[in-house]
Amino acid sequence: MDLLGFGDLLLSGTWVTIKLALTSLVFGLAFGLIGASAKLSSFWPARMLATAYTTLVRGIPELLLVLTIYFGGSMVLMAVAEKFGYTEYIEISAFAAGVAALSIAFGAYSTEVFRGAIQAIPKGQWESAQALGMTRGKTFFRIILPQVWRLALPGLGNLFQVLLKDTALVSVVGLNDLMRQAYVATGSTKQPFTFYMAAAIIYLGLTLLATLTTTWLERAADPASRGARA
């Protein structure tokens, strides 16, 4: 496929896409764990907030979330800055807005994945750990969380593939990701099929790599499969 000298442009956009996806994944996993813990908490305000979070975010298109954070975030920062006498325009970076939007969206969906995984672990394990004198926090991080990770991996892998493709939405606010660079190349060469097809192939390759990584992590986290290979 002849990219007419725009290959480096697509590669730079691919690197931005990868950074955006991985950064959003890290924050999204944190949001998901916090959300799941809040939903399973005995403290009802925490449950209410977590339910409101997942219901609201899952009911809003990701594109609208990106636009709201990008433009709304600038308005909020400017309103705060004006209180201190600063009147210049403040613009949120497209990358930061993308990370915030995608992390919040990923966190809302992964909350339910983590909640289901935590509930799948027998309550007797909590009781046994407490009988041995372990605190609830230590029980969660040493006994429950490793099992939650193994049970949640298939669902999280699927969500990451969706996240990877949703990074293309951030191109609408000017982030020079793969989708935007393909658009720029198309505008310069007037060959949309060539560059959008190239972008599709790259996205497909990234998705395949994510699938292989998830499969490897699932096998590594499953003691039974390790024993079978041995």
Side-chain angles (χ1 to χ4, degrees):
M1 182 180 291
D2 185 9
L3 298 178
L4 305 175
F6 286 91
D8 290 341
L9 193 69
L10 293 183
L11 287 177
S12 68
T14 301
W15 176 235
V16 173
T17 292
I18 293 172
K19 289 193 295 183
L20 177 61
L22 293 179
T23 306
S24 300
L25 174 65
V26 171
F27 286 103
L29 288 173
F31 289 155
L33 274 173
I34 294 172
S37 300
K39 275 204 164 186
L40 296 173
S41 172
S42 57
F43 186 53
W44 71 265
R47 294 199 306 272
M48 292 289 291
L49 284 174
T51 300
Y53 163 58
T54 56
T55 302
L56 179 64
V57 173
R58 291 190 298 169
I60 298 177
E62 280 77 2
L63 177 58
L64 183 57
L65 196 58
V66 170
L67 294 173
T68 300
I69 291 177
Y70 182 71
F71 294 108
S74 294
M75 293 176 61
V76 170
L77 288 177
M78 288 175 62
V80 173
E82 285 179 359
K83 301 293 184 181
F84 298 93
Y86 186 82
T87 58
E88 299 295 328
Y89 179 72
I90 300 175
E91 182 178 4
I92 294 180
S93 75
F95 186 86
V99 168
L102 296 178
S103 299
I104 290 171
F106 185 92
Y109 288 99
S110 63
T111 289
E112 298 303 328
V113 173
F114 281 125
R115 183 174 67 89
I118 292 173
Q119 289 180 320
I121 297 174
K123 293 183 178 179
Q125 296 194 24
W126 288 95
E127 297 168 353
S128 298
Q130 290 175 353
L132 292 173
M134 296 180 67
T135 64
R136 190 170 181 83
K138 187 177 292 185
T139 300
F140 179 77
F141 285 105
R142 290 190 177 182
I143 297 177
I144 304 301
L145 188 57
Q147 298 179 77
V148 167
W149 173 247
R150 177 172 57 85
L151 294 172
L153 261 175
L156 294 176
N158 290 333
L159 289 179
F160 180 68
Q161 291 193 24
V162 175
L163 170 67
L164 192 58
K165 291 178 286 187
D166 281 347
T167 56
L169 299 174
V170 190
S171 63
V172 301
V173 294
L175 182 68
N176 291 323
D177 68 329
L178 174 58
M179 194 65 191
R180 181 165 178 81
Q181 301 293 43
Y183 174 79
V184 170
T186 295
S188 299
T189 63
K190 308 302 180 185
Q191 295 190 27
F193 180 81
T194 298
F195 291 100
Y196 288 137
M197 179 57 69
I201 292 172
I202 294 173
Y203 277 117
L204 184 60
L206 293 176
T207 301
L208 178 60
L209 180 61
T211 300
L212 293 175
T213 302
T214 302
T215 301
W216 178 80
L217 288 173
E218 288 178 18
R219 290 177 178 173
D222 186 359
S225 66
R226 291 202 302 269
R229 290 197 302 273

